[in-house]
Amino acid sequence: MNTAIKEKPYVLVTGAGGFIGGHLVSKLLHIYDANRIRAVDIKPLEQWKQIFEGVDNVVGDLQKIDECHRVCEGVDFVYNLASDMGGIGFIETNKALCMLSVLINTNMLLASRDAKVSRYFFSSSACVYNTQKQQEFQLSPLSEEDAYPAMPEDGYGWEKLFSERMCRHFSEDFGLATRVARFHNVYGPFCTWRGGRDKAPAATCRKVIEANVNQKKEIEIWGDGKQTRSFMYIDDCIEGILKISMSDINQPINLGSSELVTINHLVDLVEEIAEVKLKRVYNTNAAKGVNGRNSDNTKIIQLLNWEPSTRLKDGMRETYGWIYEQYIQASTAARN
Ligand code: NAD
């Protein structure tokens, strides 16, 4: 297997029409020439969140092995971010769709092995962690070992855990150099902010903007607002992906912020940014996920001397501003 790093590698990003994939291509353009990058997504090009000239932008369904072979041709590095996913509302009600992403990950691994790629990065998730270890609101941060014994998030989490194991065995049995990062809640400009696949930071911004624009005085919160989470700003995520993919870390590793907040605190922050105070209506029947989840960053600090460090209030300010613009543009377009 070709593990040497070429001076001018050809780089493939899957899921490039999505949130994180688009930012990754943007960053890679600072490192490699555009004609050394291929970006792939199943969505038609006009639906990609970001699109870059000079890059080989390909529309293809990576659940199909032939497509995977086609896009892996001549490729040295693979960043596999393609997945059928969304926030908790989506993953709790679309478990089969989430699990079908196993076809993407299986076929991408096979095609990468056959194309003799030298690096294969897989975007896993904190949803692989044992749900029984996340029942408390204030829990110890999750360290990499807490994925086992396996009892991940149903559907989405099982698929990620299984795909992580495939990366491990492709590495052991076929010598494919795989790198796996477990992302903890990523947010930032270009994230999905409406339509049912949005996650808590974006959904909170949208709901606060909606309340403001429509002069509604209240906001619906899923759950009782006491759930705890950490949220990683997109710039940290991209930096972490690049560091991990080029490191020697061949075991799954956390990539997340360790700034733990309650959902209520997240709403406080957005209200502060929007300069508004809303009545909170708690929908305890809505999907709310585990009670507590935080990233233990001991390993990433030890191995990379780095961890995501953007303060939530700073990242949320950027994100709110971007979603506000999108909201206004969408409402103007709907009126015309
Ligand atoms: P996203 O939905 O914005 O991007 C995923 C992209 O994959 C989409 O554009 C989608 O069209 C594409 N895709 C889906 N099925 C495909 C197929 N069959 N062939 C080709 N492309 C396909 O999601 P994101 O937030 O950018 O997430 C990227 C990766 O990071 C995913 O693997 C996701 O599971 C993982 N992750 C994200 C978060 C987060 O908070 N955003 C957290 C944990 C893990």
Side-chain angles (χ1 to χ4, degrees):
M1 188 60 54
N2 175 20
T3 48
I5 305 284
K6 272 197 209 159
E7 203 183 311
K8 283 198 166 187
Y10 200 96
V11 185
L12 169 67
V13 178
T14 76
F19 165 45
I20 303 173
H23 281 282
L24 181 60
V25 174
S26 167
K27 183 72 177 189
L28 289 170
L29 282 165
H30 295 283
I31 307 172
Y32 308 109
D33 293 340
N35 63 10
R36 305 297 300 168
I37 301 173
R38 180 172 298 146
V40 185
D41 203 288
I42 193 171
K43 293 187 295 210
L45 287 176
E46 59 276 13
Q47 287 175 26
W48 289 28
K49 299 200 169 175
Q50 300 189 73
I51 191 151
F52 300 94
E53 232 176 274
V55 168
D56 182 19
N57 295 307
V58 178
V59 174
D61 179 357
L62 300 176
Q63 289 197 5
K64 301 198 169 99
I65 183 75
D66 292 351
E67 287 289 78
C68 294
H69 275 127
R70 182 168 76 100
V71 300
C72 283
E73 217 178 293
V75 163
D76 301 294
F77 299 164
V78 171
Y79 290 92
N80 182 17
L81 301 171
S83 163
D84 203 354
M85 61 86 70
I88 193 72
F90 178 82
I91 64 175
E92 281 200 0
T93 50
N94 293 280
K95 292 178 186 151
L97 279 187
C98 289
M99 292 210 75
L100 280 172
S101 292
V102 77
L103 295 174
I104 302 175
N105 297 322
T106 307
N107 289 329
M108 278 302 300
L109 276 167
L110 285 167
S112 299
R113 179 200 63 182
D114 296 348
K116 300 188 170 28
V117 310
S118 53
R119 278 293 148 106
Y120 182 96
F121 176 88
F122 172 59
S123 52
S124 186
S125 162
C127 287
V128 299
Y129 285 115
N130 187 322
T131 46
Q132 285 165 359
K133 298 184 183 182
Q134 301 171 76
Q135 290 176 351
E136 305 297 323
F137 292 109
Q138 296 294 335
L139 81 173
S140 310
L142 293 158
S143 68
E144 285 74 2
E145 295 70 35
D146 290 323
Y148 296 97
M151 188 47 72
E153 180 86 36
D154 204 2
Y156 178 70
W158 275 109
E159 191 281 318
K160 288 289 189 193
L161 194 63
F162 179 84
S163 293
E164 279 191 0
R165 298 293 292 197
M166 269 200 303
C167 286
R168 170 177 166 168
H169 298 310
F170 268 67
S171 172
E172 290 166 352
D173 295 359
F174 303 130
L176 177 65
T178 58
R179 301 289 180 263
V180 176
R182 292 178 180 155
F183 299 172
H184 291 244
N185 283 308
V186 191
Y187 71 98
F190 295 102
C191 62
T192 301
W193 58 278
R194 60 175 175 177
R197 289 184 188 242
D198 38 307
K199 296 180 153 226
T204 306
C205 292
R206 188 198 70 241
K207 289 177 186 179
V208 168
I209 295 165
E210 248 161 21
N212 245 346
V213 169
N214 300 323
Q215 300 189 338
K216 256 179 28 191
K217 298 274 177 260
E218 56 181 48
I219 178 171
E220 185 191 62
I221 295 171
W222 287 6
D224 56 13
K226 293 181 188 147
Q227 314 93 289
T228 53
R229 292 290 185 280
S230 69
F231 300 99
M232 168 170 56
Y233 190 57
I234 184 66
D235 292 0
D236 287 332
C237 178
I238 299 300
E239 198 176 337
I241 291 174
L242 294 176
K243 284 181 188 290
I244 291 166
S245 63
M246 289 306 141
S247 74
D248 294 332
I249 305 168
N250 58 6
Q251 301 290 324
I253 187 160
N254 277 335
L255 179 54
S257 161
S258 57
E259 183 185 350
L260 188 72
V261 295
T262 62
I263 295 299
N264 274 327
H265 182 70
L266 178 69
V267 179
D268 290 341
L269 275 181
V270 180
E271 283 180 337
E272 207 177 296
I273 295 166
E275 297 177 353
V276 69
K277 204 76 199 147
L278 301 166
K279 179 172 177 257
R280 296 178 188 191
V281 179
Y282 295 100
N283 180 354
T284 48
N285 294 321
K288 68 176 188 72
V290 293
N291 284 336
R293 177 178 291 163
N294 193 8
S295 178
D296 181 335
N297 287 350
T298 310
K299 201 162 266 175
I300 197 164
I301 294 170
Q302 188 195 334
L303 296 175
L304 293 178
N305 194 22
W306 176 88
E307 69 176 318
S309 59
T310 305
R311 304 288 303 169
L312 185 60
K313 69 173 168 40
D314 299 330
M316 285 304 287
R317 197 168 282 285
E318 295 296 317
T319 307
Y320 180 88
W322 181 81
I323 294 176
Y324 185 81
E325 275 172 27
Q326 305 307 302
Y327 188 94
I328 299 299
Q329 274 173 24
S331 330
T332 312
R335 274 198 303 275
N336 295 332

